[in-house]
Amino acid sequence: MEMHEWRGGWDRAEEATQALKSALEGLGVPERQTVRLRPTVSGRGTPWVDVGMVPAHVAVRIAEAVAAGASGPS
């Protein structure tokens, strides 16, 4: 993989990480509980967001938000 491919993957991973952090803030999750979110890129250039460990109550909030979005109007 060339550096520009890796860089593109990294940029997408950083954007996704920030989007997730913003969404969690919107759910009332304090920043101190999202500090483990990290952008990363696989060896093939696939962008990922490593969420690490999140407190159980944060996982419940995420699940509720996803469920509400999945059952909402489309």
Side-chain angles (χ1 to χ4, degrees):
M1 167 182 13
E2 294 188 28
M3 185 59 157
H4 73 277
E5 293 171 317
W6 183 90
R7 180 44 114 176
W10 181 262
D11 290 343
R12 287 189 304 279
E14 282 186 318
E15 290 170 11
T17 301
Q18 188 54 51
L20 183 54
K21 283 183 179 186
S22 295
L24 290 171
E25 285 176 12
L27 293 174
V29 176
E31 184 178 347
R32 70 180 183 277
Q33 294 179 340
T34 63
V35 295
R36 292 181 184 226
L37 297 178
R38 299 274 188 255
T40 189
V41 180
S42 74
R44 295 180 185 228
T46 304
W48 290 84
V49 177
D50 181 356
V51 297
M53 294 182 353
V54 295
H57 73 280
V58 172
V60 169
R61 285 187 187 169
I62 294 168
E64 290 170 348
V66 169
S71 65
S74 26

